[in-house]
């Protein structure tokens, strides 16, 4: 197999040129029931592994093949049970993966050079596998959806630890915030509107939309793809964006319009039922010194009202905070690494470092004066921060960490359910794996003799 070493954006890529493989070189490496897994499919997964910034390691192919076998087994059961995914879910997942791959490669052109094919071709090649993965994930969720855990089982799981092996729990904080972002006046916004309108006129006069999007758009997700957003439905975009996307005909260009993200110009590429394929150019209005001054005065006013007990912190957050994720939660931040648990306790090392510097000097129950901040998207503003509670570092115990042990106990139970399901399906499914992979420890469970064969 031809191996090409490519260096892109300071990363070393080992590109296995799957496209150049002929049928005589490609081969079946596994059979699972009625499904076959080809060497080219394994290599395609390995390329994605490398393009995610992982080191070259041929042994990883054993793990990838094992995951492919799991996926095929789940997919087969999903087909039997009519557990399906729709095209929208597949399109969304493909678009998300392409944006990530383009970012990793340093741009669409570099990714296409690396792949030796266009992004659209690559998406078409990935589509069947992505659909299978989503279907397998949905099937797994169906198998484990009724798994629940009782307090007795949590206690039993906790008691399974030796006292000296209980996990160390780092310091955790419950933090609330009121975010005050600057608001621009109509006259302050006008120059950003005019900039984008001038770009729109260039498109109308015949210049290439994709080139101008790559050059000027301030949407990091779509700009490298020429502003291409792929297909979306009416629920996926801001209402102003959706209004134009579903009103325009393919090829038509919108006037400049505004959403919470900034000013947009969009062009409809294709309409497919209740889905639209569009591309856009985004210009984000930049904060002015005057708008920052106004935001500071507003933040000071909100802070003074809260301190004077004229308004509770949670009420002030719901009324004034610009953080839509926390304002309706009393301003309290959720632990982003554990969305399913919806816990407000955040480990110290997972807090925003700038927020940690503030709360680390605060007393529990204290509210900070407005502090300046710059968000990940570059927006400046002010935050009023509440330190609701703090748990010091400690050894895990049920009194303080019941939710953590419950989650681990439930995951262990779900893993056991899945293991039992796989073992049952393995016994009733024809499985053959190429001898080249006989040394893979991860695959031995798939080829171990059945009980009847050992007699």
């Amino acid at each position: 197999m031809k191996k090409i070493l490519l260096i892109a954006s300071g990363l070393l890529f080992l590109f296995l040129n799957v496209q150049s493989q002929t049928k005589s070189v490609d081969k079946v490496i596994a059979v699972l029931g009625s499904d076959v897994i080809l060497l080219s499919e394994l290599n395609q997964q390995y390329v994605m592994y490398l393009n995610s910034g992982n080191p070259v390691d041929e042994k990883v192919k054993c793990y990838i093949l094992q995951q492919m076998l799991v996926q095929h087994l789940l997919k087969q059961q999903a087909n039997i049970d009519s557990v399906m995914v729709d095209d929208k879910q597949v399109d969304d997942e493909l678009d998300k993966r392409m944006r990530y791959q383009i970012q990793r490669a340093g741009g669409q052109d570099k990714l296409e050079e690396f792949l030796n094919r266009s992004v659209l071709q690559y998406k078409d090649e990935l589509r069947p596998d992505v659909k299978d993965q989503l279907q397998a994930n949905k099937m797994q969720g169906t198998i484990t959806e009724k798994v629940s855990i009782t307090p007795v089982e949590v206690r039993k799981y906790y008691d399974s630890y030796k006292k000296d092996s209980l996990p160390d729990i780092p310091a955790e904080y419950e933090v609330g915030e009121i975010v005050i972002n600057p608001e621009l006046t109509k006259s302050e916004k006008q120059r950003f509107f005019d900039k984008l309108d001038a770009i729109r006129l260039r498109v109308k006069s015949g210049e290439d939309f994709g080139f101008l999007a790559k050059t000027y758009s301030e949407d990091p997700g779509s700009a490298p793809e020429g502003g291409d957003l792929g297909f979306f439905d009416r629920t996926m975009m801001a209402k102003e964006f959706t209004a134009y996307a579903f009103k325009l005909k393919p090829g038509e260009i919108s006037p400049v319009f505004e959403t919470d993200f900034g000013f947009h110009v969009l062009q409809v590429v294709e309409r497919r039922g209740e889905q639209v394929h569009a591309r856009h150019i985004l210009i984000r209005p930049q904060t002015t010194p005057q708008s920052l001054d106004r935001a500071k005065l507003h933040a000071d006013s909100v802070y003074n009202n809260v301190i004077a007990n004229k308004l509770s912190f949670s009420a002030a957050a719901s009324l004034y905070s610009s953080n839509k994720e926390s304002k309706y939660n009393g301003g309290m931040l959720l632990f982003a690494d554990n969305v399913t648990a919806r816990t407000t306790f955040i480990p110290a090392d997972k807090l925003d470092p700038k927020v940690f510097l503030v709360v680390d000097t605060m007393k529990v129950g204290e509210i900070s004066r407005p502090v300046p901040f710059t968000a990940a998207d570059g927006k400046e503003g002010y935050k009023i921060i509440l330190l609701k509670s703090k748990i010091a570092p400690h050894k895990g115990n049920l009194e303080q960490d019941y939710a953590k042990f419950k989650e681990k106990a439930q995951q262990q139970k779900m893993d056991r359910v899945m293991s039992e399901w796989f073992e049952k399906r393995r016994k009733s499914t024809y499985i053959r794996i190429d001898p080249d992979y006989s040394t893979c420890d991860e695959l031995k469970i798939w080829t171990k003799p059945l009980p009847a064969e050992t007699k």
Side-chain angles (χ1 to χ4, degrees), residues 14 54 76 79 92 104 114 169 189 214 219 248 263 274 307-309 329 334 347 356 363 372 384 394 429-430 436:
L14 176 60
N54 294 302
Q76 289 175 6
N79 288 332
D92 290 347
R104 287 291 315 174
F114 169 62
I169 308 297
K189 289 181 179 181
K214 288 182 180 180
D219 177 4
L248 298 174
F263 290 110
E274 284 303 299
I307 292 300
N309 291 321
N329 190 39
L334 294 176
F356 176 75
K363 296 178 181 178
I384 302 167
H394 62 279
T429 304
Y430 173 76
D436 287 349

Side-chain angles (χ1 to χ4, degrees), residues 238-257:
K239 62 180 181 179
E240 303 89 350
F241 199 97
T242 298
Y244 279 108
F246 282 85
K247 181 171 67 174
L248 298 174
K249 297 176 182 178
E252 287 187 333
I253 298 170
S254 74
V256 176
F257 63 94

Side-chain angles (χ1 to χ4, degrees), residues 38-55:
L38 300 176
L39 178 61
S40 58
E41 294 172 332
L42 174 62
N43 287 334
Q44 187 181 63
Q45 293 288 325
Y46 186 55
V47 167
M48 293 184 67
Y49 162 84
L50 294 173
N51 197 34
S52 297
N54 294 302

Side-chain angles (χ1 to χ4, degrees), residues 112-126:
E112 291 180 338
E113 181 183 355
F114 169 62
L115 296 170
N116 195 27
R117 55 173 72 74
S118 71
V119 165
L120 288 177
Q121 287 175 307
Y122 189 47
K123 285 174 72 173
D124 285 342
E125 292 171 11
L126 287 180

Side-chain angles (χ1 to χ4, degrees), residues 3-6 11-16 46 49-51 53-61:
K3 295 184 180 180
I4 304 171
L5 287 177
L6 294 173
L11 295 174
L12 180 64
F13 294 98
L14 176 60
F15 177 45
L16 304 172
Y46 186 55
Y49 162 84
L50 294 173
N51 197 34
N54 294 302
V56 175
D57 184 358
E58 290 285 322
K59 293 181 180 179
V60 170
K61 291 184 179 181

Side-chain angles (χ1 to χ4, degrees), residues 98-162:
M98 286 306 100
R99 285 194 292 270
Y100 176 75
Q101 294 287 324
I102 286 168
Q103 183 182 18
R104 287 291 315 174
Q108 182 172 336
D109 292 342
K110 288 183 179 179
L111 179 61
E112 291 180 338
E113 181 183 355
F114 169 62
L115 296 170
N116 195 27
R117 55 173 72 74
S118 71
V119 165
L120 288 177
Q121 287 175 307
Y122 189 47
K123 285 174 72 173
D124 285 342
E125 292 171 11
L126 287 180
R127 176 176 289 277
D129 188 58
V130 168
K131 185 173 183 179
D132 288 350
Q133 288 178 17
L134 292 175
Q135 194 178 7
N137 291 343
K138 192 172 181 179
M139 186 66 232
Q140 182 168 340
T142 301
I143 295 168
T144 59
E145 66 183 351
K146 294 182 179 179
V147 174
S148 60
I149 203 83
T150 66
V152 172
E153 289 174 310
V154 177
R155 164 62 71 175
K156 185 177 180 181
Y157 175 80
Y158 174 77
D159 289 341
S160 70
Y161 281 90
K162 294 180 180 178

Side-chain angles (χ1 to χ4, degrees), residues 171-182:
E172 294 181 310
Y173 295 81
E174 273 194 304
V175 177
E177 64 176 23
I178 301 171
V179 179
I180 307 294
N181 284 333

